[in-house]
Amino acid sequence: MVEKVITLDNVSLIDFLGVENHNIKEVAAAFPMSKIISRGNEIRIKGTTPEISRISDILDSLMEHYQKYGKITHENIQSYISHSGQPTNGSGSIPPVPPDDDEVLVYGTRGVVVRAKTDNQKRLVEAAEKHDLVFAVGPAGTGKTYTAVAIAVRALKNKEVKKIIITRPAVEAGENLGFLPGDLKEKIDPYLRPIYDALDDMIPAEKLKFYTENRIIEIAPLAYMRGRTLNNAFILLDEAQNTTSMQMKMFLTRMGPTSKAIITGDRSQIDLPNKQKSGLVESVDILKNIKGIAFVELDGRDVVRHRLVREIITAYDKAGQ
């Protein structure tokens, strides 16, 4: 008998191991001649070398599956067990079980399944797949930011990029940031709450903490982007209607050769001082004929909040507000 110890890092143990370690017990039941013990974030395997190798491959594959889809089901476990011992994908793990729904962007936390829900949201997803730079413009509640975050998280999970950078301009929406304590980032963090909420839906808390502490996911004011070249990253600029012309040009020129970017904004919520032109409005006009840049317009039909929100947006549009 030999022993191998596998350490689980940056995962939600309850989600990966299952309630009362049910998932690990299910794997152990398939190998009655071996012993699998789970304690804390460690899994100890005792058995013969061939069986330990098979069990290790199964657990590695389940880890990859969990990192990509955010959950593990009975069917997933049985599928990986049945495929163990067959040719691998070259990394030693078993080829991943494909998701049931091709339209799923992210299998999130607490059973959340994130997918594009409207035609224009689907156009945004398709545009991001085919273009390195996408503008998504539309009113509040159309899911443009949430969908953009999901697209970026999917790219990170699929290892298409090495990091996600999410930023927005520090423009006050009729309020004064000056009296708030802390530096610029601390002052603006409350305004970034929708982005944090979206990430909470899509990434387990422990892994999200790891990502942010190691700057794999970075959330910062637009001013922090100056002077940087952002390589191998998925970059999101939110609330872009509140950028100035110079800020928008600065952001657009941060993209490295292996980066992708989505810019979201709402023309009806420009909070810039009077007579100052929105960088979003200007850039859409300047860049509209450049190949490789996509523009997606969302409208009231894409509102996925309370049914009254759609009617409220329509009423304000009719009133010219």
Side-chain angles (χ1 to χ4, degrees):
M1 297 278 285
V2 294
E3 180 178 281
K4 180 175 181 178
V5 178
I6 296 176
T7 302
L8 305 175
D9 291 322
N10 310 316
V11 299
S12 169
L13 295 178
I14 185 64
D15 289 338
F16 182 76
L17 300 174
V19 177
E20 297 181 349
N21 294 336
H22 177 76
N23 294 342
I24 299 304
K25 290 177 181 177
E26 196 168 343
V27 175
F31 298 91
M33 301 301 293
S34 298
K35 191 172 184 179
I36 305 177
I37 302 172
S38 173
R39 288 180 181 171
N41 69 334
E42 288 188 346
I43 299 175
R44 292 183 178 271
I45 312 168
K46 293 182 180 180
T48 63
T49 299
E51 280 213 344
I52 286 181
S53 178
R54 288 184 65 193
I55 295 168
S56 180
D57 285 348
I58 291 169
L59 293 176
D60 287 345
S61 299
L62 286 171
M63 179 67 72
E64 287 185 20
H65 185 97
Y66 174 78
Q67 300 287 14
K68 188 169 184 179
Y69 304 122
K71 65 176 182 177
I72 295 174
T73 66
H74 166 75
E75 290 75 18
N76 299 149
I77 296 169
Q78 291 303 313
S79 179
Y80 285 118
I81 289 173
S82 66
H83 282 86
S84 67
Q86 297 181 15
T88 67
N89 59 9
S91 64
S93 58
I94 303 157
V97 177
D100 297 328
D101 189 341
D102 290 339
E103 293 187 350
V104 172
L105 292 171
V106 178
Y107 289 94
T109 60
R110 301 179 296 277
V112 173
V113 177
V114 182
R115 58 165 61 86
K117 296 181 179 179
T118 70
D119 288 342
N120 286 327
Q121 288 177 12
K122 291 175 182 177
R123 290 190 183 100
L124 174 54
V125 174
E126 292 170 359
E129 291 172 349
K130 298 176 182 177
H131 301 82
D132 289 338
L133 177 59
V134 179
F135 286 80
V137 182
T142 52
K144 55 189 183 296
T145 297
Y146 194 86
T147 304
V149 172
I151 293 168
V153 170
R154 180 180 65 171
L156 183 65
K157 287 190 173 185
N158 290 346
K159 300 182 180 178
E160 297 168 11
V161 296
K162 289 186 177 179
K163 66 187 305 181
I164 296 173
I165 298 170
I166 305 175
T167 186
R168 61 162 289 175
V171 174
E172 306 156 37
E175 302 176 25
N176 193 334
L177 295 178
F179 73 93
L180 295 173
D183 60 18
L184 178 58
K185 184 179 184 303
E186 291 170 329
K187 290 175 187 288
I188 203 173
D189 265 358
Y191 293 85
L192 293 163
R193 191 69 253 170
I195 292 169
Y196 287 110
D197 289 343
L199 290 170
D200 285 340
D201 279 352
M202 301 174 198
I203 302 174
E206 296 92 338
K207 193 162 189 66
L208 181 56
K209 181 180 179 182
F210 172 83
Y211 280 161
T212 53
E213 287 178 350
N214 290 274
R215 300 176 71 85
I216 296 171
I217 293 181
E218 181 180 349
I219 306 173
L222 182 58
Y224 284 31
M225 299 298 108
R226 188 173 300 277
R228 299 177 62 182
T229 299
L230 307 175
N231 287 317
N232 209 353
F234 209 118
I235 316 157
L236 304 182
L237 171 58
D238 193 38
E239 300 290 345
Q241 74 276 1
N242 288 325
T243 59
T244 64
S245 297
M246 290 301 295
Q247 285 175 330
M248 178 60 79
K249 183 179 178 182
M250 179 273 291
F251 174 81
L252 291 170
T253 54
R254 297 309 93 200
M255 290 180 65
T258 55
S259 293
K260 296 177 74 73
I262 297 179
I263 296 171
T264 65
D266 178 359
R267 293 189 186 92
S268 68
Q269 293 189 357
I270 297 173
D271 298 314
L272 293 168
N274 290 336
K275 298 182 180 180
Q276 193 165 15
K277 192 168 185 178
S278 164
L280 172 67
V281 174
E282 183 182 64
S283 63
V284 168
D285 185 52
I286 291 174
L287 305 176
K288 60 186 177 183
N289 294 321
I290 295 182
K291 291 182 179 180
I293 301 178
F295 300 88
V296 179
E297 291 279 348
L298 297 97
D299 54 38
R301 292 169 296 179
D302 300 296
V303 172
V304 292
R305 294 179 182 172
H306 193 286
R307 64 173 183 82
L308 288 176
V309 175
R310 181 180 301 176
E311 296 181 29
I312 290 169
I313 290 173
T314 301
Y316 270 88
D317 286 344
K318 287 181 178 178
Q321 299 292 323

